[in-house]
Amino acid sequence: MVTHHRVRDYSTWRSIYDGDAARRKSMGIKDWKVGQKPDDPNEIYMLWEVEDPKKIEGMMNDPELKTLMEKAGVVSPPEMILVLNEGK
């Protein structure tokens, strides 16, 4: 899964994102990479391996996650693209 959003400040966002690793793991998400656009470090992309896409929907509707995203300075709604492994 590719997830993208914009943040106010990468450093602030990253510390909160890293602190939320247990939630992602409990949802069957394995972090592959987190990256920034070269010309805009507050444009964030996350590459995740996802066990069950339906769990992601539940996670994204969790009010606690919304609060964390606000605290982290997320300023755009997350865009999520599910990419299936070949043959699955």
Side-chain angles (χ1 to χ4, degrees):
M1 177 170 281
V2 179
T3 304
H4 162 260
H5 54 68
R6 183 163 181 69
V7 299
R8 281 189 199 95
D9 175 70
Y10 176 79
S11 295
T12 299
W13 171 84
R14 186 62 193 245
S15 78
I16 292 171
Y17 179 83
D18 289 347
D20 197 41
R23 176 203 309 267
R24 291 189 302 280
K25 186 174 183 177
S26 75
M27 292 291 161
I29 296 171
K30 178 182 176 186
D31 286 306
W32 276 359
K33 289 278 188 191
V34 174
Q36 305 159 275
K37 284 180 77 174
D39 60 341
D40 187 351
N42 293 323
E43 200 75 30
I44 309 301
Y45 291 84
M46 294 149 284
L47 301 175
W48 297 338
E49 181 178 326
V50 175
E51 289 176 9
D52 182 355
K54 291 179 183 175
K55 286 185 178 180
I56 303 302
E57 291 176 33
M59 181 182 80
M60 294 309 295
N61 292 317
D62 182 346
E64 186 179 335
L65 180 61
K66 182 178 179 179
T67 300
L68 275 177
M69 289 174 67
E70 288 172 1
K71 183 178 175 183
V74 175
V75 295
S76 69
E79 294 178 60
M80 304 175 101
I81 301 168
L82 181 63
V83 180
L84 298 176
N85 285 335
E86 190 173 334
K88 295 209 176 192

